[in-house]
């Protein structure tokens, strides 16, 4: 991730640019649809490039945070893949990778289920 900006409020915009190992930059952006502090964030997501399995279809990501005895449970629901099974599988794999990075960052005591 080489760029990130967010206006973290309902109706606010966000943008990110990811740089791949070959130097290619892949921007994405969207809007925050709902923010219910501290439990939920819902946002749209749209690639500003032609994703190989999704194209430029807008999707929706919901981040759900639930207190537990050991900390916080994070559930990510990423929808908008109707009729695009390959894109859904690819994004599920990507979320698994991202959650693995989060687990590594937080330390071995954390649990991540993708």
């Amino acid at each position: 991730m080489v760029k990130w900006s967010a206006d973290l409020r309902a109706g606010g915009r966000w943008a990110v640019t990811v740089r791949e190992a070959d130097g290619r930059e892949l921007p994405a952006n969207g809007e925050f649809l709902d923010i219910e502090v501290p439990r939920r964030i819902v946002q749209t997501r749209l690639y500003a490039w032609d994703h190989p399995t999704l194209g430029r279809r807008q999707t929706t990501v919901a981040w759900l945070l639930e207190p537990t005895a050991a900390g916080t449970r994070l559930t990510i629901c990423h929808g908008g893949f109707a009729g695009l099974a390959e894109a859904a599988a690819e994004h599920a794999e990507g979320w698994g990778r991202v959650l693995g990075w989060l687990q590594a960052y937080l330390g071995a005591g954390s649990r991540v289920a993708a």
Side-chain angles (χ1 to χ4, degrees):
M1 198 176 312
V2 294
K3 294 179 190 173
W4 171 259
S5 65
D7 180 6
L8 194 57
R9 62 182 175 82
R13 305 287 305 168
W14 67 272
V16 65
T17 301
V18 174
R19 183 176 300 139
E20 292 193 322
D22 65 5
R24 184 170 65 139
E25 292 192 355
L26 306 173
N29 62 74
E31 177 183 351
F32 292 106
L33 300 176
D34 187 36
I35 298 178
E36 183 186 324
V37 177
R39 303 207 184 274
R40 182 171 97 127
I41 299 172
V42 181
Q43 66 189 90
T44 62
R45 182 175 179 181
L46 180 66
Y47 295 114
W49 51 283
D50 290 321
H51 187 279
T53 59
L54 188 62
R56 292 183 184 230
R57 180 183 283 193
Q58 180 175 284
T59 59
T60 302
V61 180
W63 306 76
L64 310 172
L65 297 107
E66 178 184 355
T68 68
T72 302
R73 174 179 294 118
L74 170 63
T75 303
I76 300 172
C77 301
H78 193 170
F81 298 99
L84 299 171
E86 186 178 355
E90 180 182 304
H91 281 76
E93 181 180 312
W95 280 116
R97 198 169 38 253
V98 168
L99 291 172
W101 295 334
L102 179 60
Q103 181 178 16
Y105 177 77
L106 294 173
S110 59
R111 290 181 21 173
V112 173

